Amino acid sequence: MYMFQGGFETFALLIIVLAVVVLWSTVKVVPQGYNYTVENFGRYTRTLQPGLNILVPVMERIGAKMNMKEQVIDIPSQDIITRDNAMVTVDGVNFYQVLNAAKASYEVDQLQSSIINLTMTNIRTVMGSMDLDELLSNRDTINAKLLQVVDAATEAWGVKVTRIEIKDIAPPRDLVDSMARQMKAERDKRAQILEAEGLRQAAVLKAEGEKQAVMLAAEGRREAAFRDAEARERAAQAEAKATEMVSDSIAKGSVQAINYFVANNYVKAL
């Protein structure tokens, strides 16, 4: 009887321990930034939010643990032929965020691989429809087109593509050398044009300065001649006035005036 009672207590203890283990296994703590999907006998039923959650024992289990934070994946480099038949090597990055954990888990298999392949395909489509010059100068336009197309395609997967950035566009080496020579020729041409423009401007300024100098000199000579003539005119007027006064005095019989007139003519004769 004692042995039977001891065995029963052991069995009861095992049952209690097993029950505690089972109950504890149904308690799930979801960390911040994650969502867990719950499956009931293999079928999706609900999504667990961050915090403490309880599952139904035996019937429910965790299906997928989905990262809900914004993530970045590298897009491998690939060769692309542009519309003008130039081959370039292109790579990039894709920023995305899972908005619906259930769709991201069950609507697509291998989410990141699918996003990478979708992005690479659209990079070939978008950049292959452009000329090389457009490709090198309109990177923002390319990024915007890729974002629009890829984001629309991944919406059914519960994913929001926030940014797509083209990191590097590498043309062939011979094409790079040709572009470098072309740029050097353009810079030399601009330098020569600027130099010629500077020389022309200097010549214009010099001619303008010489013109101003000649005009100022002529103005000075004209002013000097005018003042010289004015001085002679005033001297002539003074002499005429003096002569008139002397003549009047002589006419009146003034001895001093006669002496002045004789002395003045004597000085002029000397």
Side-chain angles (χ1 to χ4, degrees), residues 122-153:
N122 282 279
I123 286 177
R124 288 195 297 270
T125 301
V126 172
M127 301 181 73
S129 63
M130 305 174 70
D131 293 332
L132 179 61
D133 291 339
E134 294 178 310
L135 213 64
L136 297 176
S137 59
N138 296 321
R139 188 169 298 193
D140 291 339
T141 302
I142 297 172
N143 293 338
K145 288 183 179 179
L146 288 173
L147 177 61
Q148 181 181 4
V149 175
V150 176
D151 183 44

Side-chain angles (χ1 to χ4, degrees), residues 16 19 22 50 66 75-76 85 90 96 160 196 268:
I16 293 173
V22 171
M66 191 59 61
I75 306 300
N85 295 323
V90 180
Y96 74 95
K160 173 65 177 178
K268 286 183 179 180

